[in-house]
Amino acid sequence: MFSTNFAPSMTTGKKYDVVITGSGLGGLLCANLLAMRGMKVCLLEKNKQFGGNLQTFSRDKQIFDTGVHYIGGLEKGQTLYQVFKYAGLMEQLKIEQMDERFDKILIENDDQVYGQAQGYTSFQNNLVGAFPDEREGIVAYCNKIKEVCSSFPLYNLTLNPSTAELYKGNNESAALVIASCTQNKKLQAVLAGNNLLYAGDINTTPFHVHALIVNSYIESSWKCIGGGSQIAKILVASIRKNGGEIFRNRAVTSIKEEEGKITHVVTEDGEQIKGSYFISNIHPAATLAITESALLKGLYKKRIVGLNQSVSSFSIHIVLEKRPSLMKTAITIFIKRGRFGN
Ligand SMILES: Cc1cc2nc3c(=O)[nH]c(=O)nc-3n(C[C@H](O)[C@H](O)[C@H](O)COP(=O)(O)OP(=O)(O)OC[C@H]3O[C@@H](n4cnc5c(N)ncnc54)[C@H](O)[C@@H]3O)c2cc1C
């Protein structure tokens, strides 16, 4: 059944260099970088709004972010700053630095608020203030994070692995490494307190996932003024300026192979969009489900489709009534399950 709510067909008969499915941050960034390099890019998004988790919505004149609430590593010279600058985002992005304590961890039946602060010195001092006997463990934890992050060349924007001592402990669990730094259960919970950021799971999450994400926020934490959707808007404009084409309300329903090569995708309205290269920026299982190719072995498909999903989150966005003593503010409550540290 075909919906009538599609963008006018501008893709018929064309052949693009690259066809990208999904306009989340990954798809937008790829499309922008490739278009900047002169490639003929077509980006297809199934939703009305571009951006995936960068989408915002508003209620009572308050803007709410659905996904990207704060961003790490955006200070001049830091990794994401350099990526965003290269993509042409930094000149236009309206951001503000978060409070020194970018995350505040609350623990059941405990009135204290535990801060995670920006900058390693502040991060350590804040926690030592709350856990004076645990200085050694806190320092060991910070050193371990820095050590792990320095052994991922791409994370540090270097392509030459020989310049870094590559990380060997891929299977070290985050929970076990944290426990090796401190026996204090409450401190363990505070260190793992923002694990929603990476869907942390006590049994499966490796330490490097924890370290790479937490490190970027400790380096510096930022918020988009007016919501994260501005990232999507800037990238969409840049893609178009660089000759790329980007369409909303265009769900890709199949990815087709002919003679051992992917040749085109088909959209929900039945249109075939041809390209030389194809990038799928949607869930791997969803990609496999729509890929019609004899090259993909059944066993491989079964393994990917059978992988455990990470935890879900349920957000409640609340606008509080304005009162003289109470600033109008929005609270996001995440209800999670199955993670560690709380
Ligand atoms: C609740 C929550 C809070 C988060 N908070 C933060 C945060 O504070 N800071 C931070 O840095 N990160 C945060 N993240 C993570 C961040 O939002 C994501 O990592 C990032 O936005 C993911 O981008 P993506 O490009 O991988 O995919 P997505 O954003 O998932 O985009 C995928 C896109 O593909 C489209 N699509 C799917 N199927 C098709 C199809 N068949 N055809 C065409 N289009 C299709 C979807 O509609 C979507 O637009 C959060 C995530 C969540 C869920």
Side-chain angles (χ1 to χ4, degrees):
M1 199 197 315
F2 300 144
S3 154
T4 51
N5 189 24
F6 290 111
S9 173
M10 295 166 67
T11 46
T12 315
K14 287 189 182 170
K15 184 173 177 189
Y16 296 91
D17 293 322
V18 189
V19 178
I20 302 172
T21 301
S23 76
L25 181 57
L28 287 168
L29 214 46
C30 275
N32 188 40
L33 296 180
L34 294 168
M36 280 165 64
R37 289 298 183 118
M39 294 194 112
K40 227 161 86 186
V41 172
C42 174
L43 176 56
L44 301 162
E45 167 56 48
K46 74 169 180 179
N47 281 342
K48 199 167 73 180
Q49 205 184 120
F50 294 121
N53 283 307
L54 289 168
Q55 292 175 87
T56 50
F57 66 95
S58 67
R59 292 284 182 282
D60 275 359
K61 296 183 186 149
Q62 291 289 330
I63 294 170
F64 293 99
D65 282 303
T66 56
V68 177
H69 301 96
Y70 59 152
I71 306 173
L74 274 186
E75 190 149 316
K76 204 167 181 180
Q78 293 175 353
T79 297
L80 205 61
Y81 172 89
Q82 295 187 64
V83 174
F84 274 24
K85 189 167 170 47
Y86 184 75
L89 276 160
M90 283 320 290
E91 293 75 19
Q92 298 177 61
L93 205 56
K94 292 193 180 64
I95 51 172
E96 62 184 345
Q97 194 149 12
M98 309 268 294
D99 293 346
E100 187 199 16
R101 300 201 304 166
F102 63 90
D103 260 340
K104 292 176 182 139
I105 312 293
L106 307 178
I107 293 177
E108 204 174 2
N109 301 323
D110 182 344
D111 291 337
Q112 197 165 340
V113 176
Y114 299 92
Q116 294 206 4
Q118 297 176 60
Y120 273 97
T121 307
S122 302
F123 184 86
Q124 283 173 199
N125 290 345
N126 246 284
L127 290 178
V128 172
F131 300 93
D133 300 333
E134 295 290 334
R135 174 179 290 278
E136 211 176 303
I138 292 164
V139 171
Y141 166 81
C142 290
N143 288 342
K144 182 76 184 171
I145 291 199
K146 288 190 241 177
E147 177 201 322
V148 168
C149 291
S150 69
S151 50
F152 280 81
L154 267 184
Y155 184 77
N156 298 297
L157 300 182
T158 162
L159 284 174
N160 184 0
S162 65
T163 58
E165 181 64 27
L166 291 179
Y167 182 51
K168 309 268 177 8
N170 281 336
N171 294 321
E172 275 184 315
S173 121
L176 288 181
V177 174
I178 291 172
S180 74
C181 296
T182 173
Q183 302 294 304
N184 185 315
K185 294 279 177 211
K186 197 167 271 184
L187 177 56
Q188 288 176 9
V190 171
L191 294 174
N194 46 14
N195 64 56
L196 176 75
L197 290 170
Y198 48 90
D201 179 89
I202 190 162
N203 297 312
T204 55
T205 302
F207 184 70
H208 69 268
V209 171
H210 170 89
L212 294 170
I213 290 175
V214 168
N215 174 69
S216 75
Y217 289 103
I218 297 177
E219 283 190 333
S220 67
S221 299
W222 304 80
K223 196 164 176 46
C224 287
I225 301 167
S229 58
Q230 58 167 303
I231 297 177
K233 283 186 195 129
I234 296 169
L235 288 173
V236 166
S238 175
I239 293 164
R240 289 189 169 136
K241 195 177 125 212
N242 287 295
E245 293 177 37
I246 168 161
F247 302 96
R248 60 182 121 221
N249 297 319
R250 277 282 175 96
V252 171
T253 48
S254 60
I255 301 172
K256 302 270 195 188
E257 174 227 309
E258 281 167 15
E259 296 173 359
K261 265 191 93 171
I262 301 292
T263 53
H264 63 280
V265 298
V266 181
T267 54
E268 208 178 348
D269 50 352
E271 190 171 348
Q272 295 188 2
I273 300 175
K274 297 185 183 130
S276 302
Y277 296 96
F278 295 82
I279 295 173
S280 176
N281 189 64
I282 65 176
H283 194 289
T287 302
L288 290 184
I290 58 173
T291 305
E292 295 172 28
S293 165
L295 296 174
L296 293 171
K297 300 273 177 278
L299 205 61
Y300 170 72
K301 277 191 174 183
K302 208 169 149 193
R303 187 169 68 78
I304 301 297
V305 172
L307 288 173
N308 279 340
Q309 300 289 332
S310 56
V311 294
S312 301
S313 65
F314 179 78
S315 310
I316 304 173
H317 302 263
I318 303 171
V319 177
L320 298 179
E321 238 178 68
K322 198 169 187 177
R323 289 196 217 133
S325 59
L326 192 69
M327 284 236 320
K328 197 168 193 180
T329 174
I331 300 174
T332 300
I333 301 168
F334 294 110
I335 300 173
K336 317 172 275 171
R337 62 176 174 80
R339 340 73 307 132
F340 56 92
N342 62 352

